[in-house]
Amino acid sequence: MSANFEYIFPAIRGIQAEREYFVSMCPLRLIPRIFLFDDEELLPELRAQRTLNKGRIPEIARYVLSNRSGYVFSAITASVDGSVRFQPMGADGEASRLGALHVDMSARFIINDGQHRRAAIEQALASAPELGDETISVVFFIDRGLVRSQQMFSDLNQHAVRPSRSLALLYDHRTDMSQIAKLVSLKSTAFKDLVETERSTLSERSRKLFTLSAIHSACSALLEDEEYSDVNHAAEACIEFWGEVSKQILEWSFVRTGRMTSGEIRRDFLHSHAIALQAFGIVGRELTRLHKQNWRKKLAGLGKIDWSRSNAQLWEGRALIGGRVSKASHNVTLTTNLIKKHLGLPLDLRKSGSNSRSTAERHNRNSWNP
């Protein structure tokens, strides 16, 4: 037996690419102590990790602290550079794969995937030390030098694909705005059966006219700085507004009734694109503030706007750049201003002195998805 002190991890032994690896569970309090980063001042070619993005760390730590009974972490992957031995429970069958991984305390652990999780755990522990008894899964590979560690980093990250924003919103049951957007897409006569919930872009052949991510942004703009008693109350306000909008844009109903395809609408008109929906939300917010009693009547001006993409004189430089739809913030502003002009709204409505934050800001602080 080694005379040196050791870390002992309960572990399962596996084989990948003809190499042994081990899966274990580590208490969170040990993560900052034993897992190290490469020196950030080293040249990239001498490191096995990307430089730590320190701006992400507080966001992830807040996610953990705000969701103590619901946070989720995927496994950390690390290489071990040092003396390692596996002591199985038995010699045959399953017993030969279960046991204890002994790692000399002089060994060096290098994170191949999960350095931001490690830093966020350290920050969260400073605020809530009791989290230290909870665990995170760790996959240990036996280090074979810098080249192998760099290749592992490349392999682990090159095939990682972030989910589309629409799909992330669909599966998000934690933030209010995501729930509002889903309720609106399901119950609104304007959007029902016309919303793509898995993708954030629509193909020419898609039967859907809107994306969930676009509805989320539009509802966030509509509800900004407004106070509602609960999610259902806010969703009902959105449903009422979008129902009135749809009355002014007949082409939306043409898709539902089969008179036109969604591809034709999106090809020939701008009013179903994300930039228009967000502009509608901004205009709706100001319209309902300035004209509480007759905002529906004022909204009738939407139907008098020529939404044809072929009208380059009206839309080029606003919603279109070189004939292509642009969702840049200044394009949203220019499109919003054009709509305001048609509805007789002032172009520079000063926000009230209310200290309330936007619905999106209030409820999306905990929306990080590991």
Side-chain angles (χ1 to χ4, degrees), residues 50 74-78 110-115 117 153 156-157:
R50 76 186 93 193
S74 55
I76 288 175
T77 302
I110 298 176
I111 295 179
N112 303 110
D113 183 61
Q115 60 264 41
R117 270 162 278 164
F153 176 86
L156 287 167
N157 285 278

Side-chain angles (χ1 to χ4, degrees), residues 275 317-319 321 326-337:
I275 184 174
R318 288 190 175 92
I321 300 295
S326 173
K327 294 187 290 185
S329 59
H330 65 278
N331 293 108
V332 173
T333 300
L334 292 172
T335 301
T336 301
N337 287 344

Side-chain angles (χ1 to χ4, degrees), residues 83-149:
S83 177
V84 175
R85 63 185 177 88
F86 180 69
Q87 183 175 347
M89 294 177 59
D92 302 309
E94 296 298 327
S96 67
R97 291 188 283 271
L98 301 175
L101 182 67
H102 296 250
V103 181
D104 195 291
M105 282 193 175
S106 63
R108 188 166 182 250
F109 298 85
I110 298 176
I111 295 179
N112 303 110
D113 183 61
Q115 60 264 41
H116 291 91
R117 270 162 278 164
R118 178 254 182 227
I121 287 169
E122 182 175 21
Q123 191 171 108
L125 286 171
S127 299
E130 62 274 16
L131 285 170
D133 293 328
E134 299 190 9
T135 59
I136 186 171
S137 55
V138 180
V139 180
F140 292 106
F141 288 89
I142 307 307
D143 181 71
R144 293 175 180 266
L146 179 62
V147 171
R148 174 62 181 163
S149 292

Side-chain angles (χ1 to χ4, degrees), residues 192-194 250-261:
K192 190 175 181 181
D193 300 325
L194 297 178
L250 299 180
E251 289 85 3
W252 290 4
S253 65
F254 291 171
V255 178
R256 191 176 291 106
T257 58
R259 293 176 61 182
M260 295 182 72
T261 66

Side-chain angles (χ1 to χ4, degrees), residues 211-284:
T211 64
L212 183 60
S213 58
I215 293 173
H216 178 276
S217 296
C219 289
S220 296
L222 178 63
L223 298 177
E224 186 178 352
D225 294 330
E226 299 296 331
E227 294 289 345
Y228 292 93
S229 58
D230 55 30
V231 165
N232 289 320
H233 183 202
E236 287 301 323
C238 290
I239 290 169
E240 181 182 10
F241 173 76
W242 293 112
E244 293 297 324
V245 170
S246 68
K247 292 177 183 178
Q248 309 305 323
I249 303 178
L250 299 180
E251 289 85 3
W252 290 4
S253 65
F254 291 171
V255 178
R256 191 176 291 106
T257 58
R259 293 176 61 182
M260 295 182 72
T261 66
S262 62
E264 290 172 335
I265 297 293
R266 294 178 62 79
R267 180 195 64 202
D268 297 336
F269 300 94
L270 285 164
H271 46 49
S272 65
H273 288 264
I275 184 174
L277 294 184
Q278 189 169 352
F280 291 157
I282 297 169
V283 169

